[in-house]
Amino acid sequence: MEIKKIAICITSFNSQDYIIECINSFKKQVVPKSWEIVFYIGVDFCEKTAEILDKNKIPYFWSNENVGTYILTNSLLQEAKNDGCDIFLRFDSDDIATRGYLINGVSNAINRGFSSCFAKDFSEKGGERYFENSSRYGVGQVFFTRDVLDKLGGYHEYRVACDSYFVKRAER
């Protein structure tokens, strides 16, 4: 049986307080049969985040300047594509994957080519981090197939709203 790969692409900037929790949320996921997770973590010129990843022996890609999440995401997607990954997930470093997140996202991507997802995010009040009462529709967290990536060519390289535009292009 051929093993297929899910590339989880996480870009990070100043996420030293959250990145381990984010990564660990995927380690608790049910992975579809004959699939494996491969992490592609990009650190966007942020030494504190890199120190946390080094301390936890987690490999990452380093950007020598702050290029922004979408340029760094495109670099991670290219690495994952070169490594033969089949499904790609762009995920935010300060969010976590809730129960069933991975298996549902992969299933939807296989059926539709891509899938925007519900994701649990956090709010901060008074410096404390807590879960929002409900999940939000996370346009930024998107599963998609290699075919969709080939057709769209990745994210546009603006500083904001590229995830929304990516989803609109995928829908077409």
Side-chain angles (χ1 to χ4, degrees), residues 5-9 36 38-40 80 85-90:
K5 297 179 188 176
I6 306 163
I8 299 177
C9 300
E36 71 174 328
V38 183
F39 286 99
Y40 294 85
C85 291
D86 303 285
I87 298 270
F88 305 84
L89 168 62
R90 183 209 168 288

Side-chain angles (χ1 to χ4, degrees), residues 96-111:
I96 62 167
T98 55
R99 191 175 71 195
Y101 182 84
L102 193 61
I103 200 158
N104 290 328
V106 169
S107 176
N108 288 334
I110 289 169
N111 292 330

Side-chain angles (χ1 to χ4, degrees), residues 32-90:
K33 288 182 181 179
S34 76
W35 287 81
E36 71 174 328
I37 294 173
V38 183
F39 286 99
Y40 294 85
I41 301 168
V43 178
D44 203 5
F45 193 66
C46 181
E47 290 180 10
K48 289 181 181 180
T49 302
E51 288 171 8
I52 293 295
L53 293 169
D54 285 336
K55 180 180 172 186
N56 287 277
K57 297 181 171 106
I58 298 171
Y60 58 90
F61 296 88
W62 173 260
S63 176
N64 286 324
E65 61 181 289
N66 183 343
V67 295
T69 191
Y70 302 110
I71 290 173
L72 189 53
T73 294
N74 285 339
S75 297
L76 297 176
L77 290 172
Q78 188 60 52
E79 288 289 331
K81 188 175 171 183
N82 291 344
D83 289 345
C85 291
D86 303 285
I87 298 270
F88 305 84
L89 168 62
R90 183 209 168 288

Side-chain angles (χ1 to χ4, degrees), residues 132-165:
E132 292 282 30
N133 288 333
S134 62
S135 296
R136 66 174 164 79
Y137 185 65
V139 174
Q141 294 85 13
V142 182
F143 287 88
F144 47 93
T145 62
R146 176 182 281 276
D147 186 50
V148 168
L149 179 58
D150 288 342
K151 287 177 183 172
L152 298 181
Y155 288 83
H156 287 276
E157 297 179 350
Y158 309 117
R159 286 281 181 169
V160 296
C162 294
D163 42 14
S164 300
Y165 188 54

